[in-house]
Amino acid sequence: MTKTVSTASPPAQAPLSGRAEKRRSRHEAPGERSWRRNALRRATPWLFLLVPLALLVTFTYVPVGNMIYYSFTDWDGISPDRNFVGAENYTELFTRPELFRVFAVSLYYLAASAVQIAIALFFATVLSFDLRFRNLFKGILFFPYLINGVAIGFVFLYFFQDGGTLDSVLSWFGANSDHAWLGSPESANTSLAGVSVWRFTGLNFVLFLGAIQSIPGELYEAAQLDGASRWQQFRNIIAPGIRPVLSLSVILAISGSLAVFEIPYIMTTGATGTSTFVIQTVKLAFQFNKTGLASACAVVLLAIILLITWIQRRLVPDERVDLV
Amino acid sequence: MGKKTLSAALLATTMLTVAGCSGGGSANANETAAAPANPDSVSGTIKVLTNRTDLVQDGTMKKYAAEFNKTYPKVKVKFEGITDYEGEVKIRMNTENYGDVLLIPSVIAKGNYPKFFAPLGNTSSMKKTYRFTDKTNVDGKTYGIATFGTANGFVYNKALWKKAGITEWPTTTQEFLADLQAVKKKTGATPYYTNYKDGWPLSTPWTNGVGSVSCDAKASDELAGTDKPWAKGSDLNTLDTLLYDIVHDDLSEKDPTTTNWESSKSLLAKGKIGSMMLGSWAITQMQDAAKKAGQDPDDIGFMPVPAQKNGKSCATLVSDYQQAVNIHSDHKAAARAWIDWFTEKSGYSASQGAVSALKSETMPTTLQGYVDNDVEMVERSEAKTAEVNAIDDASEIGLNKQDYRQKLIDIARGAQDGSLQDYFDDLNKRWAEARQTVGS
């Protein structure tokens, strides 16, 4: 024990602590002292973790536990009494295929996230090289992610309005489209998915940029000396170098597409065939007072996302990146 | 050691959480919130929850409280304006802390009123003084008093309709459609505005029309006993077909998915929109919008649902939010005093151009047109509201929610496949199935 203490403590502090030890040793038995020190040392990380852990448990695990509990009751969300109904909610959920039909809407968002990752990757690569106004462009690309989702919903509502921003911009180019962008299910879902690309590209971009910049610079120099083109540099240095971040982005994209909520909820409240699984769940809980059934929906969504993530990890294992 | 600390921390948190959830205290379940006999005898601070954030912010509510204090000097009234009233109060009602006086959220099942609110008196005697007592009557006791009532109908721009050559109210839905057609052709205005995006103007305003078509106060109650609410000739069928036809015949706005309620008010006042189905409460708001837009507020008109029974038009009269006393309140007498004063003396309903909850009060000036034209006011019976709501929830149709009429509009404008009849059949089927499950 003492060995670890002496090696662990920085040399500058060693004489100080030694003196303190001497002073204390006059009053306390050596065994007791080391026990206390020991206990305190061990407890220290937990003391620091106390607040975050308390927050985590209170705001994540207790609510999730409650949700799972509600999913086995017929609670309506308000009534003081709730009855335990066993797996009835789950049976109802799985015998009503129309509840799962809304996952089709997620395909729009899945396609959009492919586009989003491609765009983010492109800009991250381009901006990792020396360019004029590099930082300005980084800022511009990341900016949308900083805006609150509700605000984005409202802004784009005006954007897509009949004769709104999009229509007037298009009219500058002579395209007098006069199109109701949110008018039909296909066009509405595409528009909404477009908004989500606009919003989340910045996040992917920053993740990719960070990963690319962690690749040692000598590699590029060496490649350039060997006469590698930008595309070859991307293929053989950047792409393998950021693989873990890339696969993380794909996982986030899939779970994100399954759980789309705020943009379609604020802009269309799920009308015109833009309802997603989460919107449907919210409506079950708060419009039709079926909190039990809605909780079951939420549990099922959680299970689906965990399952997909697990499968993905099995298919694409997390390899160590070894470039040199 | 480490593990022990962790489990101790977890235990402590869990205990804190559990303690936080299960608030103690017992409710005096059957204590009636009676009006105090002597105004000086009541004291305390009461909190009033309201959805009228505008009136809290502009100080109107404070003025009411000051007036109230002239009679009840020892009661201090505080207000809490809540923007998302329904959503927020519903969740707060899981605790005991939901104000002393509150508006009964519409999601609370009628049967649960005794668990949340103190009774205000026996319905049989309350009925003599107040309108709409039916709505909160549970087992012979009344739990809430309406802030005001509202009549159902179409808000329209008189000047615009005159320009289109229409001076008489339409008496059939066909006539109404022809009139909208005329408005479109002769003025170029949008004859009808659905407010599809904001949604709520598609829900209660239309559903409140149940009873206006058949002139039957019990039309809404009867939904509890039918398997086919959308059968031909029924109120819902007539109303929803009318909405379908309006949209299908291109008599509504071009892009319904990006409508805006606030701007629709001034559009109607300026004569760019012909009409909207709303409650009579909307008239004063439209008149305000007209004043702001520099138009004549007298151009705002209100007409009944275009359907007549025995040569007479009808309009359902329904209650808006009802004020109730929290069963956990420590100042029930003061809370009741506030409700009584607010209903009887504040002049609130008159300022809103709405129908007072007091039977002794006459119809407001906003409804003068109805009075002059002998429109029959049908006070909607709420005897079976609880059952209707239960079936409605089970069927996931949402008579007072926007979704099903949004879909109706989508079908009408071709954004979704299907025909009106198929949709009605589907709704009927879901309603019938839900009746089975709720009944069992």
Side-chain angles (χ1 to χ4, degrees):
Chain A
M1 241 322 121
T2 34
K3 233 184 215 169
T4 16
V5 170
S6 61
T7 44
S9 54
Q13 281 179 1
L16 223 170
S17 65
R19 223 181 299 149
E21 226 172 280
K22 245 181 235 163
R23 221 183 301 135
R24 241 187 282 141
S25 64
R26 262 177 247 155
H27 308 288
E28 293 163 25
E32 190 185 347
R33 181 197 67 204
S34 75
W35 182 85
R36 270 205 202 165
R37 283 189 49 139
N38 210 352
L40 195 68
R41 278 182 53 82
R42 292 220 177 178
T44 310
W46 294 113
L47 284 175
F48 279 108
L49 278 176
L50 199 63
V51 173
L53 272 180
L55 292 175
L56 183 72
V57 169
T58 325
F59 294 109
T60 306
Y61 293 102
V62 172
V64 169
N66 273 340
M67 181 183 81
I68 294 172
Y69 161 65
Y70 296 151
S71 74
F72 291 104
T73 65
D74 65 351
W75 194 37
D76 65 357
I78 331 145
S79 158
D81 24 67
R82 52 191 82 138
N83 305 314
F84 188 77
V85 293
E88 207 173 89
N89 287 324
Y90 291 93
T91 330
E92 184 181 347
L93 191 56
F94 287 109
T95 47
R96 287 175 56 185
E98 83 269 13
L99 289 178
F100 289 97
R101 208 164 290 154
V102 285
F103 275 121
V105 173
S106 296
L107 295 177
Y108 285 94
Y109 292 91
L110 208 57
S113 36
V115 175
Q116 174 186 320
I117 289 178
I119 296 175
L121 199 56
F122 174 75
F123 281 110
T125 313
V126 169
L127 290 177
S128 66
F129 295 114
D130 227 359
L131 277 181
R132 202 181 287 187
F133 303 125
R134 208 166 73 145
N135 287 327
L136 176 72
F137 283 115
K138 280 186 205 169
I140 290 173
L141 278 167
F142 187 59
F143 173 68
Y145 184 67
L146 298 174
I147 310 176
N148 180 288
V150 179
I152 290 177
F154 281 120
V155 168
F156 275 91
L157 214 50
Y158 288 102
F159 183 79
F160 288 123
Q161 211 163 36
D162 187 19
T165 322
L166 186 55
D167 280 344
S168 31
V169 169
L170 286 177
S171 71
W172 296 342
F173 298 100
N176 247 331
S177 70
D178 197 15
H179 182 78
W181 294 98
L182 303 175
S184 71
E186 296 78 30
S187 140
N189 278 316
T190 315
S191 305
L192 294 177
V195 176
S196 117
V197 169
W198 182 83
R199 183 177 177 204
F200 289 107
T201 301
L203 177 69
N204 282 114
F205 165 75
V206 166
L207 289 175
F208 292 148
L209 195 69
I212 291 175
Q213 285 181 344
S214 71
I215 297 170
E218 308 92 71
L219 286 175
Y220 298 116
E221 277 173 40
Q224 261 166 352
L225 285 177
D226 288 342
S229 68
R230 282 279 149 95
W231 169 245
Q232 282 166 330
Q233 286 182 31
F234 174 78
R235 252 207 68 159
N236 297 305
I237 302 175
I238 295 178
I242 62 169
R243 249 186 84 174
V245 176
L246 202 58
S247 85
L248 173 77
S249 297
V250 172
I251 291 178
L252 287 179
I254 293 178
S255 67
S257 318
L258 292 176
V260 184
F261 174 63
E262 56 199 87
I263 289 173
Y265 192 73
I266 290 156
M267 291 180 62
T268 65
T269 54
T272 342
T274 57
S275 189
T276 66
F277 194 71
V278 183
I279 291 183
Q280 184 178 275
T281 307
V282 166
K283 285 192 169 163
L284 279 178
F286 298 106
Q287 285 198 356
F288 304 115
N289 300 326
K290 296 185 172 177
T291 305
L293 182 63
S295 298
C297 287
V299 172
V300 168
L301 181 64
L302 179 70
I304 291 176
I305 288 176
L306 288 178
L307 185 74
I308 289 177
T309 312
W310 180 74
I311 293 173
Q312 206 175 0
R313 297 305 265 179
R314 295 305 296 271
L315 293 177
V316 192
D318 210 2
E319 287 163 23
R320 275 186 68 88
V321 183
D322 206 2
L323 283 174
V324 194
Chain B
M1 192 65 217
K3 264 190 192 148
K4 262 188 200 162
T5 330
L6 173 65
S7 37
L10 285 180
L11 188 68
T13 351
T14 324
M15 274 164 60
L16 277 175
T17 328
V18 171
C21 288
S22 57
S26 62
N28 303 326
N30 291 316
E31 186 195 334
T32 304
N38 176 8
D40 282 326
S41 67
V42 284
S43 61
T45 304
I46 57 168
K47 189 186 258 180
V48 179
L49 304 189
T50 171
N51 62 338
R52 294 299 300 265
T53 42
D54 53 335
L55 298 186
V56 176
Q57 265 156 20
D58 71 8
T60 313
M61 281 300 187
K62 263 217 174 95
K63 274 181 217 150
Y64 283 140
E67 274 300 309
F68 173 73
N69 279 141
K70 285 182 186 161
T71 324
Y72 297 93
K74 287 182 192 160
V75 181
K76 197 168 156 27
V77 190
K78 280 190 187 165
F79 298 97
E80 190 177 338
I82 301 170
T83 316
D84 174 20
Y85 188 84
E86 283 284 326
E88 207 172 298
V89 173
K90 175 191 162 182
I91 290 162
R92 270 174 73 172
M93 288 181 69
N94 280 300
T95 70
E96 290 180 8
N97 173 25
Y98 45 96
D100 295 283
V101 176
L102 71 157
L103 308 168
I104 300 178
S106 58
V107 293
I108 307 289
K110 205 174 168 185
N112 280 335
Y113 286 178
K115 292 175 190 157
F116 293 111
F117 312 113
L120 302 179
N122 288 324
T123 308
S124 48
S125 60
M126 300 268 297
K127 230 178 188 161
K128 288 174 198 145
T129 340
Y130 300 103
R131 289 190 176 106
F132 317 117
T133 46
D134 222 15
K135 189 161 182 182
T136 58
N137 167 40
V138 181
D139 297 333
K141 283 188 174 159
T142 299
Y143 289 86
I145 296 176
T147 48
F148 57 74
T150 158
N152 135 286
F154 287 92
V155 180
Y156 70 107
N157 188 314
K158 278 189 212 163
L160 184 76
W161 284 57
K162 211 173 217 167
K163 220 166 113 193
I166 308 153
T167 43
E168 297 273 305
W169 284 342
T171 51
T172 65
T173 53
Q174 287 313 314
E175 220 172 293
F176 185 71
L177 288 168
D179 286 354
L180 293 182
Q181 209 59 268
V183 169
K184 188 181 180 180
K185 276 204 193 110
K186 292 191 185 147
T187 67
T190 307
Y192 184 85
Y193 198 73
T194 60
N195 269 308
Y196 177 99
K197 195 256 143 188
D198 287 287
W200 60 263
L202 289 174
S203 56
T204 27
W206 280 89
T207 304
N208 283 350
V210 173
S212 293
V213 180
S214 54
C215 289
D216 182 2
K218 292 204 161 34
S220 184
D221 284 347
E222 278 162 15
L223 295 177
T226 171
D227 274 342
K228 285 192 160 53
W230 283 270
K232 213 161 173 47
S234 71
D235 283 28
L236 275 170
N237 184 301
T238 311
L239 290 164
D240 286 344
T241 308
L242 176 60
L243 179 62
Y244 178 91
D245 287 342
I246 291 173
V247 178
H248 192 251
D249 297 350
D250 284 332
L251 298 170
S252 58
E253 70 274 21
K254 201 171 66 193
D255 180 9
T257 51
T258 50
T259 60
N260 183 325
W261 159 247
E262 284 303 325
S263 69
S264 78
K265 290 195 266 186
S266 72
L267 287 175
L268 187 120
K270 285 181 194 155
K272 300 214 168 117
I273 291 175
S275 58
M276 289 190 239
M277 170 77 109
L278 290 166
S280 59
W281 56 265
I283 301 171
T284 45
Q285 289 200 23
M286 295 291 171
Q287 287 171 340
D288 279 349
K291 266 178 233 155
K292 272 183 204 146
Q295 307 284 325
D296 185 3
D298 287 340
D299 282 347
I300 307 293
F302 197 62
M303 68 165 89
V305 169
Q308 287 196 329
K309 182 115 184 187
N310 306 328
K312 221 173 181 190
S313 291
C314 293
T316 35
L317 202 56
V318 296
S319 121
D320 204 81
Y321 274 122
Q322 311 254 350
Q323 292 200 95
V325 176
N326 181 347
I327 197 164
H328 304 291
S329 168
D330 293 328
H331 305 288
K332 290 201 177 74
R336 176 65 192 271
W338 167 259
I339 294 180
D340 283 358
W341 182 86
F342 194 72
T343 314
E344 287 160 25
K345 309 256 165 66
S346 73
Y348 175 70
S349 70
S351 76
Q352 301 299 312
V355 181
S356 169
L358 287 175
K359 282 198 165 157
S360 53
E361 296 271 319
T362 50
M363 284 291 153
T365 49
T366 46
L367 287 175
Q368 201 54 49
Y370 275 21
V371 176
D372 293 347
N373 287 286
D374 274 347
V375 176
E376 194 184 320
M377 299 284 190
V378 179
E379 192 186 318
R380 184 172 79 183
S381 159
E382 306 275 354
K384 290 195 174 158
T385 303
E387 286 167 55
V388 174
N389 285 347
I391 300 170
D392 188 37
D393 278 351
S395 67
E396 288 169 25
I397 290 173
L399 284 177
N400 291 309
K401 302 292 179 319
Q402 63 217 39
D403 297 58
Y404 103 85
R405 283 201 185 89
Q406 281 183 332
K407 192 170 171 197
L408 183 86
I409 290 178
D410 282 351
I411 294 172
R413 67 198 176 92
Q416 273 197 45
D417 299 334
S419 72
L420 182 66
Q421 193 51 50
D422 288 347
Y423 191 46
F424 282 162
D425 289 344
D426 177 51
L427 290 171
N428 278 333
K429 192 172 139 250
R430 278 158 68 188
W431 189 268
E433 278 169 6
R435 271 192 71 215
Q436 296 293 320
T437 53
V438 171
S440 66

